[in-house]
Amino acid sequence: MKNRALRTVTLAVAIASLAGTAACGSGGSGGSADKASGPVTIEFWGWAPGYEKSVELFNSTHPGIQVTYSKISPGSKGGYTKMLSAVKAGNAPCVGSVGFETLPTFAAAGALQDATAAAAPFAKEYGASAFAQSGVAGHTYGLPVDIAPMGLIYRKDLFAKFGIHEAPRTWEEYAADAATIHAADPNAYIGYFGNDAYNFAGLAQQAGAKWFATGGEKWSVEVNDAATRKVAAFWQGLIDKKLVKVVPSFDTALYKGMGEGTILSDVNAVWDTPILADSVKQTSGNWAVAPMPVWDAAKPASGNAGGTPNAILKGCAHVKEAVEFAHWFGTDQASVSNLIKETGIYPAALSGLDNPALAEPNPFYGGQKIFDVFRASAAQVDAGFQWGPVMTKTSGALGDGLGKAGAGSTTLEAALADTQAQTVAEMKTQGMGIG
Amino acid sequence: MRTTRPGGPVRAANPAGRIGVLAVLVLAAAYSLLPVWWLVVSATKGSSDLFSSNGFWFAGRIEIVHNISTLLGVQDGIYGRWLLNSLLYAVGGAAAATLLSAMAGYVLAKYTFRGREAVFNTVLGAILIPAPLFALPLYLMFSATHLVNTFWAVFIPSIVSPFGVYLSRIYAAAAVPDELLEAGRIDGAGEFRIFRSIALRVLQPSLVTIFLFQFVTIWTNYLLPSLMLASDRLQPVTVGLVAWKEQRGQTVPYNLIITGALLSVVPIVVMFLLLQRYWKAGLTSGSVK
């Protein structure tokens, strides 16, 4: 009797494993076809909309290289974990979307393939900052697709209503205008203080911060350097005087305030312009974009918040072809036009800056050619800024600290010190040398 | 439970205490229902009203029908595909998990064999480990067997439910009397037949519970499918919605994403409504005996 029951279980197990084998036969489509002669097959993982169309374009014009594109989860939502585990499992794609901020983390994890030699001839076709950030410590790991220069997006009509006819050019003017606006209408604020770590990093970068650097085998970490502390002190002052609204970044409360006309501006990256346009449609035509306020009007500088290269992942058997594809993806006119239209990228390629799609007047921004502002901004981004090797930890700690400082339960200076400590501790845990 | 007074139900001794309990319950209800209310209200708004109107009340025209039809058309109707995928993973996975759990729990409860407690304790231990911890090892395993990026990569892990095994064993031990099985054996029924025609009937309430739990678990799972699947045609609705949300309204406007989130909850609600009759009956049936 018992034996019969056992036999039933055995049978069930056998059937289950058979089903597994069958699936193995029919579903295992990856990576077996590219050994024969024929075209080289390259796998590419990304998530931005419109990427698939550029891949199609590439495949139709490059019979020798065929790219299979897979749309995976966004990087911070599992996409990066997926790439890292695929590298570990030995079935990673050749090319993956890895943001500037995450690239050093991937490099530290040994998940990237050195493509320095293959990429070097293309360097001059990109902005210096974008190309530099596609690598770490002299090694190039990919080619950039887009960058994210920052600007000041503001309500032109309401600024004028409060007697401000020109957007603030310096942070000093920004603070003065903040006081003017808030004094005239206690419900109105010039801008807001959010909790987006990368936005804050862009502000620090503008001030000349150098958070991370590599020298030989060692990293140096200075998330709370003098330049960053200057930025922190500035915003802490505005928060203390209640001259900026404290709301979480990209929150409904933010867009509600912007739609109602109580939050009048946003210092943000180029990719924020369509988001804002979509979020507060009812105020269309009243917005404009100006260069982000600077610290020293004589030496204007700008910041970058975002941007993504196509990185070559470890285990790629066709590095040369992969680099060729990555370069084509971000420089070919048809591809770049598609990416501007579908993804809303701001091209990293110098030739991309002449793309006609960037010269169109934007009705939401009162018919302004807003990309002119960002083009000037891009040219003023410091090429020497380097992201760290444990950015998930760093940005998590910083974002947390920004939120708490905004709420008044800590100060920005303390938040920076805490971020510094957590970053260093995490790097030590991972066995990285800190010099 | 017995009432002490013949005339009425049990009453708390202290009215102030009762009000306190009531207040806590009302707060708890509001806490869990407010986000749902927000979701329902927001799904009726057009994209310009979404950020400009009160989050907890309707604004302007009720756009929900328009939102749904736009949502189903966006990106060649990929959302419908995601819903279908989710249904396939969740219904199929939960059904298989329920059957496997019932079989395992029944065997553990009704047969004595060497190592039975060891097996059961291992299963119990597995309940304590959060499922996301398994995702990465599973990925590495499935990579080696070339199952990654197939339907099976998400389906196979879904048919395992340690909690289901545990529940089945407890329930089978309590609800399936040995006499019933003996009677079946005397009548000449095989062990599998006894399981199928007698035990499964008696176990039904616990099966519904396991099915519901597993259904919800699979439906809301994010990490496993996001790791296993590279093709967005295979993704369940959770992974798809997060991908849209992360693009911050650039491709699919926020109001459609919210409508998508609302629609994605509907199958869970439907499942609960359909099954709660059996479920409730099962939970209370033992108590009056």
Side-chain angles (χ1 to χ4, degrees), chain A residues 196-237:
Chain A
D196 186 51
Y198 290 110
N199 190 286
F200 187 83
L203 297 174
Q205 185 185 3
Q206 180 203 27
K210 295 264 189 293
W211 285 2
F212 299 93
T214 43
E217 293 294 295
K218 285 194 156 88
W219 285 88
S220 76
V221 184
E222 274 190 89
V223 178
N224 56 350
D225 65 357
T228 311
R229 286 206 307 275
K230 178 171 77 174
V231 174
F234 175 77
W235 287 96
Q236 189 69 58

Side-chain angles (χ1 to χ4, degrees), chain A residues 48-332:
Chain A
Y51 269 31
E52 61 274 4
K53 203 176 273 178
S54 276
V55 170
E56 273 169 38
L57 270 173
F58 180 84
N59 285 339
S60 64
T61 51
H62 292 72
I65 308 172
Q66 290 298 296
V67 177
T68 5
Y69 176 67
S70 291
K71 197 169 187 171
I72 63 167
S73 301
S76 59
K77 296 291 161 183
Y80 291 145
T81 318
K82 187 182 171 72
M83 286 185 202
L84 290 173
S85 28
V87 168
K88 207 173 284 173
N91 54 6
C94 243
V95 183
S97 267
V98 181
F100 288 140
E101 75 292 337
T102 308
L103 198 88
T105 309
F106 267 54
L112 297 174
Q113 183 89 41
D114 196 326
T116 312
F122 302 127
K124 57 185 183 304
E125 295 183 47
Y126 298 93
S129 158
F131 189 81
Q133 289 197 57
S134 304
V136 181
H139 300 274
T140 307
Y141 296 111
L143 289 168
V145 178
D146 64 319
I147 51 174
M150 297 169 77
L152 174 75
I153 308 166
Y154 70 106
R155 273 293 288 272
K156 202 170 186 171
D157 60 331
L158 292 182
F159 268 49
K161 186 186 130 193
F162 291 114
I164 302 161
H165 296 282
E166 240 177 284
R169 275 162 305 179
T170 63
W171 287 112
E172 207 177 6
E173 287 179 24
Y174 181 88
D177 290 347
T180 310
I181 289 169
H182 195 58
D185 179 353
N187 287 323
Y189 298 89
I190 187 169
Y192 68 100
F193 186 75
N195 59 351
D196 186 51
Y198 290 110
N199 190 286
F200 187 83
L203 297 174
Q205 185 185 3
Q206 180 203 27
K210 295 264 189 293
W211 285 2
F212 299 93
T214 43
E217 293 294 295
K218 285 194 156 88
W219 285 88
S220 76
V221 184
E222 274 190 89
V223 178
N224 56 350
D225 65 357
T228 311
R229 286 206 307 275
K230 178 171 77 174
V231 174
F234 175 77
W235 287 96
Q236 189 69 58
L238 291 179
I239 295 168
D240 290 345
K241 288 183 218 140
K242 301 201 175 356
L243 293 180
V244 286
K245 180 95 175 162
V246 175
V247 283
S249 304
F250 308 107
D251 190 71
T252 43
L254 171 64
Y255 296 119
K256 197 159 165 356
M258 290 186 144
E260 289 169 351
T262 55
I263 298 174
L264 308 192
S265 75
D266 188 359
V267 182
N268 216 325
V270 58
W271 45 257
D272 191 48
T273 55
I275 297 175
L276 187 60
D278 198 61
S279 303
V280 290
K281 278 189 187 133
Q282 72 275 25
T283 55
S284 177
N286 297 330
W287 294 83
V289 181
M292 74 190 283
V294 296
W295 291 100
D296 181 352
K299 282 185 280 173
S302 190
N304 184 77
T308 302
N310 279 326
I312 315 299
L313 297 184
K314 192 90 179 178
C316 178
H318 306 286
V319 174
K320 199 177 139 279
E321 286 84 356
V323 166
E324 188 185 335
F325 163 70
H327 176 63
W328 179 94
F329 193 86
T331 53
D332 178 80

Side-chain angles (χ1 to χ4, degrees), chain B residues 150-164:
Chain B
T150 65
F151 169 81
W152 303 103
V154 176
F155 185 78
I156 292 176
S158 304
I159 64 178
V160 180
S161 165
F163 173 73

Side-chain angles (χ1 to χ4, degrees), chain A residues 4-20, chain B residues 96 99-101 103-104 107 159 192 195:
Chain A
R4 215 183 295 167
L6 251 176
R7 219 181 300 152
T8 315
V9 173
T10 322
L11 188 71
V13 170
I15 291 172
S17 56
L18 256 180
Chain B
L99 184 67
L100 285 179
S101 304
M103 284 160 86
V107 166
I159 64 178
F192 192 69
F195 171 72

Side-chain angles (χ1 to χ4, degrees), chain B residues 107-215:
Chain B
V107 166
L108 287 171
K110 287 297 155 195
Y111 297 93
T112 38
F113 53 89
R114 198 186 305 175
R116 180 171 81 155
E117 290 312 309
V119 169
F120 186 63
N121 288 337
T122 313
V123 172
L124 261 187
I127 297 176
L128 299 177
I129 304 174
L133 279 187
F134 288 120
L136 216 59
L138 274 174
Y139 177 81
L140 295 177
M141 250 170 69
F142 280 29
S143 288
T145 44
H146 299 291
L147 281 179
V148 157
N149 202 20
T150 65
F151 169 81
W152 303 103
V154 176
F155 185 78
I156 292 176
S158 304
I159 64 178
V160 180
S161 165
F163 173 73
V165 175
Y166 165 75
L167 198 75
S168 299
R169 177 183 180 170
I170 302 295
Y171 201 90
V176 185
D178 286 336
E179 295 82 355
L180 210 58
L181 306 184
E182 290 305 328
R185 281 171 196 149
I186 288 165
D187 288 345
E191 290 301 315
F192 192 69
R193 171 116 195 255
I194 293 176
F195 171 72
R196 205 189 54 203
S197 6
I198 303 176
L200 270 189
R201 300 266 156 88
V202 184
L203 286 175
Q204 196 206 29
S206 77
L207 299 186
V208 173
T209 310
I210 297 169
F211 182 87
L212 267 181
F213 270 105
Q214 193 63 5
F215 181 86

